[in-house]
Amino acid sequence: MSRPKLLALLGVGLAAAALAEEPRPLAIVIHGGAGVIDPAKMTPERAASYRAGLAAALDAGYAILERGGTSLDAVMAAVRIMEDDPQFNAGRGAVLNHEGDAELDAAIMDGHGPRAGAVAAVRHVKNPVELARLVMEKSPHVLLVAEGAEEFALEQGVALLPRGYFRTEGRERELEEARRAESERLHAASLPGSGTVGAVALDAAGHLAAATSTGGLTDKHRGRVGDSPIIGAGTYADEACAVSGTGQGEFFIRQVVAYDLCALVEYRHLTVGAAVREVIHEKLRHTGGEGGVIALDRNGNIAMDFNSVGMFRAARDSRGRRDIAMYRDAR
Ligand code: ASP
């Protein structure tokens, strides 16, 4: 073999070895909603409790990635934990509609495929994110709503719960206040409830996934569906980028926020950080929309940003990062 050929082969071999040695980055980012509590009203006890809720979801999702699990399993686990935690506006403890019921929306998307499943306006499903995944995996559809979604849940062996399971005293109080302030509230650009939840993750195979779950807005009209279960609005993942949003859903739907952000990454080659800034601080703000997003790219770059007072959020990756924050100054 000639010397240049031998050197070329050696070069390829060394590059392959270097690639084999460099483990692919793992990352998970979660949010617990942008409609957060006024910092002036946040007690140290409540802050500690929210942080603990976020940490439990973050670490459970990350543990799945560390064991070699999929990003899809990681986002589902993180969201399910927050659905079961009554502090957040998803599953038990979700905000109540005008009739006093929790009406839940959720979506999950596997960027590898891509595949997606979503449910909207369900009232008896403990973990809407799990039902969204069943829609993705066990039906030919993407989005099922209301009674039809609950019939599908029964067909899949998912038990339905009485509506009282979802209602908490705190949310009942919030609904009373919202009803009292209704005439003002309808004209005010106030943020919905608090604590919509979402997650995005990157696994060892380099696949991205996203999931979002919410009760939507306090005192919303029965049948109102927000952005969370609308693929491309509040939830989106493809091979390059994964996004979960939180904020005033109507704005996110009209501006197709999650897909727009990924399109900026794909077509304008923006970093996720730059794309998030453009979407949240330029496009959304110009229309008066309030909220935030978490986003992740295939190299494990993380972005979490919002134009509201705060956004409960947390991130963890294989480079050693582990942050939990609520307001602008990373508190
Ligand atoms: N985006 C959710 C919705 O409008 C609410 C939220 O994120 O707080 O349904």
Side-chain angles (χ1 to χ4, degrees):
M1 191 181 292
S2 69
R3 199 177 141 83
K5 219 171 179 181
L6 191 69
L7 285 177
L9 274 179
L10 204 66
V12 171
L14 285 176
L19 272 181
E21 267 169 32
E22 172 118 11
R24 286 204 53 91
L26 305 175
I28 182 160
V29 190
I30 64 170
H31 70 76
V36 293
I37 291 139
D38 179 351
K41 293 189 189 137
M42 179 63 86
T43 63
E45 294 72 33
R46 279 183 100 177
S49 171
Y50 277 117
R51 282 173 169 278
L54 290 167
L58 183 75
D59 293 338
Y62 192 75
I64 289 174
L65 298 174
E66 249 183 342
R67 286 199 302 270
T70 64
S71 51
L72 198 64
D73 284 340
V75 295
M76 193 173 83
V79 166
R80 192 179 40 214
I81 287 174
M82 292 187 282
E83 284 178 340
D84 290 342
D85 183 337
Q87 302 180 96
F88 297 106
N89 175 14
R92 183 165 138 71
V95 300
L96 304 176
N97 70 7
H98 190 71
E99 278 68 38
D101 280 325
E103 244 183 357
L104 310 166
D105 299 341
I108 192 162
M109 186 158 188
D110 180 0
H112 181 62
R115 305 182 294 159
V119 294
V122 294
R123 294 185 299 161
H124 305 88
V125 178
K126 180 170 179 276
N127 293 108
V129 72
E130 285 183 352
L131 187 59
R133 182 160 178 180
L134 286 170
V135 171
M136 177 173 87
E137 291 179 340
K138 307 279 191 224
S139 89
H141 309 301
V142 170
L143 173 61
L144 291 179
V145 307
E147 286 84 5
E150 294 186 342
E151 257 169 50
F152 174 74
L154 288 176
E155 286 159 23
Q156 295 299 318
V158 175
L160 299 184
L161 297 180
R163 304 212 289 272
Y165 164 80
F166 299 93
R167 250 177 257 141
T168 60
E169 263 177 43
R171 296 305 190 190
E172 277 170 356
R173 244 190 339 265
E174 268 177 29
L175 177 61
E176 279 314 308
E177 282 163 22
R179 279 175 176 158
R180 268 202 303 274
E182 190 160 24
S183 53
E184 291 152 54
R185 195 191 65 88
L186 286 176
H187 302 288
S190 62
L191 267 182
S194 57
T196 288
V197 305
V200 292
L202 173 69
D203 62 26
H207 298 152
L208 291 157
T212 313
S213 184
T214 187
L217 288 71
T218 301
D219 199 25
K220 67 185 179 182
H221 198 288
R222 184 167 144 83
R224 179 266 184 188
V225 174
D227 59 311
S228 309
I230 307 295
I231 299 302
T235 307
Y236 188 73
D238 59 23
E239 298 279 1
C241 166
V243 178
S244 172
T246 170
Q248 295 167 309
E250 281 69 9
F251 289 83
F252 280 65
I253 294 173
R254 285 192 288 260
Q255 294 183 244
V256 202
V257 163
Y259 177 73
D260 190 34
L261 202 161
C262 288
L264 289 172
V265 172
E266 191 172 348
Y267 302 128
R268 283 222 338 243
H269 309 293
L270 260 55
T271 63
V272 271
V276 166
R277 264 195 304 283
E278 177 153 343
V279 167
I280 297 302
H281 294 292
E282 305 291 331
K283 295 180 158 190
L284 195 64
R285 200 197 287 275
H286 279 151
T287 60
E290 229 180 291
V293 294
I294 52 170
L296 190 59
D297 72 12
R298 66 158 78 87
N299 299 315
N301 294 308
I302 290 169
M304 310 186 267
D305 207 353
F306 48 96
N307 63 24
S308 43
V309 176
M311 178 172 79
F312 292 172
R313 60 199 187 278
R316 185 165 172 192
D317 69 17
S318 50
R319 296 166 181 135
R321 175 173 180 172
R322 187 174 178 282
D323 310 327
I324 301 176
M326 291 186 283
Y327 299 106
R328 179 68 50 201
D329 57 359
R331 260 185 301 154

